[in-house]
Amino acid sequence: MPKDSGIGASIKRREDVRFLTGRGRYTDDINLRGQAHVAFLRSNVAHGRLRGVDTAAAAAMPGVVRIFTGEDFAAVGGLPCGWQVTGRDGQVMKEPKHPVLAHGKVRHVGDPIAAVVAETYEQARDAAEAIAVDIESLPAVVDMAAALAPGSALVHDDLGTNLCYDWGFIEDSKAAVAAAIAAAHHVTTLDLVNNRLIPNAMEPRVAVGDYNSASGESTLYTTSQNPHVIRLLMGAFVLGIPEHKLRVVAPDVGGGFGSKIFHYAEEALCTFAARALNRPVKWTAQRSESFVTDAHGRDHVTRIELALDRDGHFLAIRTSTLANMGAYLSTFAPSVPTYLHGTLMAGNYKTPHIYVNVKAVFTNTVPVDAYRGAGRPEATFQLERVIDKAAREMGIDPVEIRRRNFVDAFPYQTPVAVAYDTGNYHATMDKLVTIADLAGFEKRRAASAAKGLLRGLGLNCYIEACGIAPSHLVGQLGARAGLYESATVRVNATGGIVVMTGSHSHGQGHETTFAQVIADMIGIPEAQVEIVHGDTANAPMGMGTYGSRSLAVGGSAMVRAANKIISKARKIAAHLMEAAEGDIELKDGKFRVAGTDKSVDWGAVCLAAYVPHNYPLAELEPGLEETAFYDPANFTFPAGAYACEVEVDPETGRVTIDRFAAADDFGNIVNPMVVDGQVHGGIGQGIGQALLERAVYDANGQLLSGTYMDYAMPRADDLPSYVVDHSCATPCTHNPLGVKGCGEAGAIGSPPAVVNAVIDALHRGGHAHVTHIDMPLSPARVWAAMQG
């Protein structure tokens, strides 16, 4: 029988009631008394020298309160980068200043030049359009290879180069990899592009700055995935505001996918302006602004080589990648193509030798940073595409070549530093073969052929590293912040519980799943547990939500804090029942003396904690409230196997996804329905990347795909019904819940499965010359490939 409460139950998300009835409270819903509005004047050229900004006419326009330019921020710190990468030569990465408002040069279309504060947004926008800007246009640097060529224009003149870093991993393995490739029976090589994506969360970014002159405290309301990190970065490194005088609040947030992790100029501007004007200041992004200001994702150009013996066993992998940083270093940008990508190049396979080289490049484009999966999709795509190509070249079934190379003993130390604690890749593949009905593929292919369509089958196996920890290790790798998580569990006198977490929910269902964990530990209804997050004034210092870390790291902190609560409550119960503490058991909301019928309810113990008449205060202080921090011992390693079936119209090149199956190992599952939703959403985004989405710049650095007329987003009729399964669980060995993370898996596993399916369809349809098509696989690209 399915569970109806606690861990393992598919409870409906409690937060959806307010969302579906229009009672969510998003940042744009916050309007403060005396509030002014901000509109930005942004660069319409990708690269230019800023010769002058004349604000006189604009300042005289109705409603204008003040206009800020780069000169106002000359003494203010730039937006900081949170990760420092050291290159192969031992030199740290080039780290240019990222000004709040452009100063000296503009470096991408959308770079903010001035900010107009006015009584209404319309007045601010009109005044921004009246500012006269003198820009000396310079050659734009868009193509990464051209950016590294001698004589290229420089995005940052003071750096003397467009190369941010040249990273090798692991450098000591380079010679062994080269030798293995040289001696191999077969080497498969593939050149591919991981297309640039624009996140497009449903809710655009918003910032509301406020200032209390009596207390000297600033408050920023913002659309953020990690308010404590924003407080740290903006307060300490940009505006110089002490943390105890800066509060950051992230209320309900309508999606992030990584793009709302980072500290943005608009947040600093609104906070700075509110202090300068002593009144609230608000900015809400227009969708057209989001396209040129929200950090983009992916944008890698890679060559990968896979060496195999005559039986199809993997011997070595070598990759060379150009990774686009855009015009500036966003918060976590340097880590994405390095430690979040290179460490995953072993995949699910026991390849003995691996070497990864990444050159990060500055260009006159929007900064690039983490987007759902962050490095893991890039690693999986190149690995699974080259494996499929190798299988075809060697005449080995794509399922079989993967099985021959699976890691089959755990723990497993990879040649790229990380160690997998648990997994069962054969089991997830077995489950996939069943739920995808691979045995029935030929019958379905014949049915497609009868309609004049080409049917193909694509497979993919993935592994991802979640949690991004432990702090001491990532600190050695360049992280400039700890990556632990925190929780405070406060028990009220009547037994209700408030959990304050440093994690942040913006679609993950934390208010439901976190409550399930705490309620299950104690044996009380979930309705007695309230989850509070998103406000630095209430929650303990935490690192926020990204990298599928919330339950594995944030949930583990809650478990630690709850265990402290239970330990203290057990002592109180022992006093109340005049029993030894070691004999007290907690089950179904009651403390019992083992082997007897003596018991006391959870609520009675909680009341006694706050009305301490029945236990000695010399031994226990009153109250029930505990805080805990959790810093993981290792990453968690979710894994899975995906299958996609497509139909290709040979007349038009149009691809239709007919079937999609996903078998995932997420460790223990708290809420299967929430997990299904996370996987469905991730697969949808991955299909969007594979077939539809692509940010396109012209040679002058103009974004050609800057609206929904030009940037194709997946719609419901682009997606099939999914078959998902997560029954092949191997619990994580190093966190108390045994969980691994599920939020990014679908976006990691689906793109290579879709592309592999299309290539398979073309080969089966007589187009054997097609070995690869870069994403997105639009009808035009597929048709052109078929024509040779």
Side-chain angles (χ1 to χ4, degrees):
M1 291 288 292
K3 292 185 66 177
D4 58 7
S5 64
I7 293 176
S10 288
I11 298 171
K12 292 182 180 178
R13 301 193 337 167
R14 62 167 70 169
E15 50 266 64
D16 286 348
V17 174
R18 72 175 185 272
F19 296 148
L20 294 172
T21 56
R23 290 180 289 170
R25 187 171 184 259
Y26 298 90
T27 308
D28 192 54
D29 294 321
I30 297 171
N31 292 291
L32 305 178
R33 185 176 181 180
Q35 173 179 285
H37 296 263
V38 178
F40 286 90
L41 172 67
R42 301 184 182 276
S43 177
N44 59 5
V45 300
H47 194 199
R49 208 167 306 282
L50 198 54
R51 293 193 172 278
V53 180
D54 185 352
T55 63
M61 293 181 68
V64 173
V65 178
R66 182 168 169 181
I67 300 175
F68 295 91
T69 67
E71 292 297 329
D72 295 294
F73 290 86
V76 171
L79 305 183
C81 179
W83 203 294
Q84 179 178 277
V85 167
T86 300
R88 293 191 301 146
D89 56 2
Q91 297 295 310
V92 298
M93 66 187 189
K94 300 293 192 299
E95 190 170 357
K97 184 176 180 179
H98 185 176
V100 175
L101 294 176
H103 192 258
K105 285 177 76 173
V106 291
R107 294 182 172 89
H108 67 89
V109 171
D111 212 357
I113 296 171
V116 178
V117 182
E119 299 296 340
T120 70
Y121 172 72
E122 291 74 18
Q123 291 172 330
R125 181 192 60 199
D126 291 345
E129 293 175 354
I131 296 174
V133 180
D134 181 9
I135 299 177
E136 175 194 352
S137 186
L138 299 172
V141 181
V142 178
D143 179 80
M144 287 188 283
L148 297 181
S152 170
L154 297 176
V155 179
H156 298 275
D157 299 333
D158 55 316
L159 300 184
T161 178
N162 290 320
L163 180 68
C164 178
Y165 56 76
D166 181 357
W167 182 79
F169 192 74
I170 293 174
E171 197 65 20
D172 290 345
S173 67
K174 188 175 181 180
V177 169
I181 291 174
H185 170 74
H186 183 85
V187 178
T188 296
T189 302
L190 182 62
D191 293 305
L192 49 82
V193 174
N194 207 294
N195 41 322
R196 179 185 279 236
L197 304 176
I198 300 174
N200 284 301
M202 185 177 292
E203 176 200 26
R205 289 191 298 110
V206 185
V208 182
D210 192 18
Y211 180 62
N212 185 331
S213 58
S215 65
E217 181 180 272
S218 291
T219 300
L220 170 68
Y221 302 90
T222 184
T223 46
S224 175
Q225 298 177 216
N226 48 2
H228 280 99
V229 174
I230 301 305
R231 183 181 68 169
L232 174 64
L233 295 179
M234 184 178 73
F237 299 104
V238 183
L239 300 182
I241 303 173
E243 282 185 275
H244 67 283
K245 291 296 185 181
L246 177 59
R247 177 189 178 199
V248 177
V249 183
D252 290 329
V253 173
F257 314 118
S259 68
K260 293 174 182 173
I261 299 171
F262 323 121
H263 175 39
Y264 288 96
E266 295 85 1
E267 294 169 321
L269 184 286
C270 288
T271 306
F272 182 88
R275 290 174 68 91
L277 302 174
N278 195 23
R279 64 184 293 188
V281 173
K282 180 176 183 177
W283 169 77
T284 298
Q286 304 300 301
R287 185 59 69 175
S288 57
E289 281 185 290
S290 297
F291 274 90
V292 294
T293 62
D294 292 4
H296 292 180
R298 315 287 193 249
D299 204 352
H300 288 189
V301 177
T302 296
R303 167 166 286 190
I304 180 169
E305 300 164 276
L306 173 63
L308 307 92
D309 68 15
R310 64 181 62 253
D311 296 318
H313 296 117
F314 302 164
L315 302 175
I317 292 169
R318 181 167 59 196
T319 74
S320 177
T321 293
L322 295 181
N324 205 331
M325 294 290 100
Y328 304 101
L329 291 179
S330 182
T331 307
F332 285 142
S335 68
V336 175
T338 53
Y339 295 108
L340 299 184
H341 156 246
T343 55
L344 272 297
M345 282 309 304
N348 307 62
Y349 312 106
K350 46 191 178 187
T351 309
H353 303 292
I354 299 174
Y355 177 72
V356 178
N357 175 239
V358 177
K359 293 181 176 67
V361 185
F362 291 114
T363 62
N364 292 120
T365 62
V366 173
V368 178
D369 209 321
Y371 173 71
R372 197 171 189 170
R376 284 71 60 89
E378 294 91 322
T380 300
F381 184 72
Q382 54 189 275
L383 183 59
E384 290 296 312
R385 281 294 298 120
V386 79
I387 289 172
D388 236 49
K389 186 168 185 265
R392 186 164 286 113
E393 290 174 351
M394 297 188 70
I396 304 174
D397 178 80
V399 173
E400 175 57 28
I401 196 171
R402 289 172 169 85
R403 287 192 188 277
R404 288 182 193 179
N405 291 282
F406 277 156
V407 173
D408 50 17
F410 294 88
Y412 175 74
Q413 176 62 56
T414 73
V416 280
V418 297
Y420 305 158
D421 60 333
T422 60
N424 191 337
Y425 309 146
H426 287 285
T428 51
M429 180 63 86
D430 291 343
K431 177 61 69 172
L432 179 71
V433 169
T434 300
I435 65 175
D437 184 25
L438 298 193
F441 172 74
E442 287 301 331
K443 182 178 179 180
R444 294 189 292 274
R445 188 166 78 89
S448 296
K451 298 185 294 183
L453 302 174
L454 310 178
R455 179 176 283 262
L457 169 65
L459 300 174
N460 166 73
C461 293
Y462 78 90
I463 189 167
E464 62 166 322
C466 299
I468 313 181
S471 293
H472 76 273
L473 173 60
V474 296
Q476 295 171 19
L477 302 180
R480 288 168 166 166
L483 292 172
Y484 53 84
E485 199 44 83
S486 63
T488 294
V489 177
R490 176 180 297 159
V491 183
N492 298 317
T494 54
I497 297 175
V498 178
V499 179
M500 291 159 281
T501 172
S503 299
H504 186 277
S505 182
H506 40 278
Q508 293 85 352
H510 293 173
E511 293 174 35
T512 301
T513 54
F514 287 174
Q516 286 179 254
V517 171
I518 300 299
D520 191 87
M521 292 179 69
I522 297 170
I524 58 176
E526 284 88 358
Q528 283 187 238
V529 182
E530 186 76 14
I531 306 299
V532 175
H533 62 90
D535 187 342
T536 61
N538 296 331
M541 175 72 177
M543 293 295 106
T545 293
Y546 44 84
S548 300
R549 72 192 301 268
S550 296
L551 192 58
V553 188
S556 294
M558 288 182 211
V559 170
R560 281 192 170 183
N563 279 331
K564 292 181 183 180
I565 291 286
I566 292 169
S567 178
K568 182 176 180 180
R570 184 180 285 113
K571 290 181 172 68
I572 297 172
H575 283 291
L576 295 178
M577 293 186 286
E578 298 180 335
E581 182 186 341
D583 293 334
I584 303 300
E585 301 173 341
L586 174 60
K587 185 177 181 182
D588 299 329
K590 288 181 180 292
F591 288 95
R592 293 180 171 85
V593 180
T596 75
D597 60 357
K598 294 180 69 174
S599 67
V600 60
D601 288 343
W602 167 257
V605 173
C606 296
L607 183 61
Y610 288 94
V611 186
H613 294 165
N614 295 308
Y615 64 87
L617 292 176
E619 298 179 22
L620 288 172
E621 62 186 28
L624 274 179
E625 180 172 328
E626 297 287 352
T627 295
F629 289 78
Y630 178 75
D631 198 347
N634 192 6
F635 293 98
T636 64
F637 296 98
Y642 287 9
C644 175
E645 289 186 30
V646 302
E647 289 182 324
V648 179
D649 185 340
E651 297 297 320
T652 66
R654 183 170 186 238
V655 176
T656 301
I657 298 179
D658 186 58
R659 296 165 65 93
F660 201 103
D664 295 291
D665 173 7
F666 296 135
N668 293 334
I669 302 294
V670 170
N671 187 315
M673 182 168 61
V674 168
V675 169
D676 286 351
Q678 289 287 305
V679 175
H680 288 189
I683 293 172
Q685 282 186 273
I687 290 172
Q689 175 174 15
L691 297 183
L692 298 164
E693 299 183 50
R694 181 185 174 216
V696 181
Y697 282 92
D698 70 9
N700 296 315
Q702 295 292 329
L703 183 64
L704 302 181
S705 53
T707 72
Y708 287 137
M709 294 294 291
D710 311 295
Y711 188 92
M713 296 281 286
R715 303 184 181 190
D717 60 358
D718 294 313
L719 308 175
S721 293
Y722 311 123
V723 178
V724 299
D725 178 273
H726 32 76
S727 63
C728 301
T730 59
C732 175
T733 60
H734 54 79
N735 69 57
L737 290 168
V739 297
K740 294 186 175 182
C742 68
E744 297 165 300
I748 295 168
S750 52
V754 173
V755 177
N756 286 344
V758 173
I759 300 300
D760 183 65
L762 299 188
H763 272 253
R764 293 175 187 272
H767 301 280
H769 63 279
V770 182
T771 59
H772 179 70
I773 306 172
D774 279 325
M775 300 184 291
L777 275 65
S778 64
R781 285 186 169 187
V782 174
W783 185 87
M786 286 191 289
Q787 310 314 308

